[in-house]
Structures are given as C-alpha cells and as structure tokens.
Amino acid sequence: MEVTKAVIPAAGFGTRFLPVTKAQPKEMMPVLDKPTIQYVVEEAVEAGIDDILIITGRGKQAIERHFDKSYELEEALEADGKLDRLDRVQEIADLADIHYVRQKERDGLGDAVRYARKHVGDEPFALLLGDTIIENDTPCTETLIDEAEAHETSVLSLERVPWEQVPSYGVADTGDVESSAGSFPVNDFVEKPPQDEAPSNLAITGRYVLTSEIFELLESTEKGVGGELQLTDAIRELDDVRGVELDGDRYDIGNIPSWLRANIEMSLHHDDGEINEAVEALLREQSL
C-alpha cells in the first residue's frame, strides 16, 4: 500500500464567515501572509505528495488563480527588484501538480469526496479538509500515511475536544482501547452525537487516509445528519479503521474565533522577526 495522491474538498459556502465569504472562498481566508488552503497544500507536499485534487464549487475560482502562474505579477516584481517576493510567488505555482473538479451541488462532505473517484481510481489517498490548518513538527498527513502503509488500512486523525463541542464533530468509539502513541483500532464512529450519547470526546479533525473502498460505500450510504451525505457514515462501514491522536495545534478557519487564534499564535513563531515583535508588543499592551 502506497499513498501518492491527496484530495482537498473546498466547496463549502463558509456561512460562519459571512459576509466576507459571499464573494471570497473561506479557504482563501488569510492566515498571516498566506491563504488557508496554501497551508493545507503545503502539508500534503511536506508529506511527500505532489499529485493533489482540489474539489471546488461555484464561486471558488480564486483558489485556482492562486495556485496558477502569474506572468504579469512576476514580471513586475522582477522589474522592481523585489526578488524575495518573486521567489515566494513562483514557489506557489511550483508546489505540486494540482487538479480541479467542481462539485455540482453542495450535498455534504461525503458527496464531495465522491467526485475524487475518477482521479484516485483504486489507490488509497490522503484527504485534507481545505479549511483546517494543523501545525506540527511532523506533518499530520505524513504520520497518517506512515500508519496507513504500515497497517494497510484507513487511518484518521483524532483529537480530544471539550465535551460541550462533541455535537459539532464526528466522534470515535474506541471501546476499551486506550489511545496512545502510534495508531489504534476504532470500533465505530458517530456523526455529531448529543453530548450525553457520545462514545468519547475523540473527534475527527479533518485529516484522513482512506482506501478506495470508501467510494463504493459512499454510493450505498443514505443521507444522514443535516440531510447531507456524511463521510463519517460511510467510514463506519469500512472493515478496518485506525485512529491517531493528534499531536499539534489545529485551527478550524471556518469560524472567526479559531481564525483569530491562528493568526495570533502562528505569528509568534513566524519566520519574520518584525511580525513576532509587533504581535508580542500588542499582546503586552492589551495585558496592561
């Protein structure tokens, strides 16, 4: 089993960020000097993947333009002698082989993943949600790939969330198995359960490695929570699934508080010292 392709769903409306997402994809919301989806693509590339399919929707053309080559901009930067900025712009277009397919109707994450079937074929693939940034010394996707290839099965990233947040997530049932370093078997998953019915507070965190069996299961899965085709419902039917407890910082850029936290926390270890100092000074002022 070898994972060589990644799929990034990026077709949602981003309603929690309206009105800014009325004309701008939520995946293009900036975190410091890069749009959210660039961090996601970079994570896949750092995990050794250079074949990436992004599933878009109506009004998401800005994503394609961002990863495309911009001749006019590059010429202007070179003429102005702004070579450091030129390098950063050129690096974006050279990150990976990026392909696109448009989801015709927004009908849930499970429906979006179905659009990857022709591109992925019978191969296992990494799945990274386009509005979630995970900061870690070792890319989360790389860890999942290592575990998936070692056990030849699907592997999901899980994180312990506050119990009051459990109804917002797909939640893992690990039975009597204690999570630990490495991966562990998962018995079942429940999509957005009431807090008092949740089997655990181990939530799916937007990173997966899935075998191609998931496509057949999605075809036979009925619509679930919210009247949408839920990926979690199809994952429940996989013969063997393992989990990895997330080690790192996760930011859900689909909501404003998490987006703000991402900008502040990530600025404190940005490679630009001027940004670090400015944010640290601001935080000191606010603490007075």
Side-chain angles (χ1 to χ4, degrees), residues 106-155:
R106 293 176 171 93
D107 202 14
L109 178 57
D111 179 67
V113 172
R114 289 167 57 189
Y115 282 79
R117 187 170 193 171
K118 286 185 178 179
H119 186 83
V120 170
D122 296 328
E123 299 179 38
F125 62 100
L127 179 70
L128 302 85
L129 298 193
D131 60 358
T132 301
I133 296 174
I134 296 180
E135 288 276 287
N136 198 358
D137 292 337
T138 300
C140 179
T141 297
E142 180 179 333
T143 300
L144 296 186
I145 290 174
D146 289 344
E147 292 295 327
E149 292 179 347
H151 295 276
E152 297 191 342
T153 191
S154 297
V155 181

Side-chain angles (χ1 to χ4, degrees), residues 29-57:
M29 288 296 296
V31 176
L32 300 177
D33 55 352
K34 293 189 288 191
T36 299
I37 196 167
Q38 184 174 334
Y39 290 95
V40 180
V41 169
E42 288 173 345
E43 179 185 329
V45 171
E46 289 168 8
I49 293 175
D50 62 2
D51 185 341
I52 297 172
L53 174 69
I54 299 180
I55 301 167
T56 66

Side-chain angles (χ1 to χ4, degrees), residues 75-94:
E75 288 174 359
L77 290 172
E78 186 171 12
D80 291 342
K82 299 176 180 178
L83 302 184
D84 56 337
R85 298 183 187 181
L86 174 62
D87 288 342
R88 299 194 72 179
V89 167
Q90 291 176 328
E91 286 170 1
I92 296 171
D94 296 334

Side-chain angles (χ1 to χ4, degrees), residues 15 19 30 47 66 69 74 80-81 87 99 122 127 135 138 156 160 167 176 188 194 219 223 228 244 274:
T15 54
H66 179 71
K69 193 170 181 65
E74 291 179 20
D80 291 342
D87 288 342
H99 313 268
D122 296 328
L127 179 70
E135 288 276 287
T138 300
L156 281 64
R160 293 196 182 275
D176 296 329
D188 198 3
E219 293 300 329
K223 292 184 179 181
E228 296 181 334
V244 171
E274 186 176 347

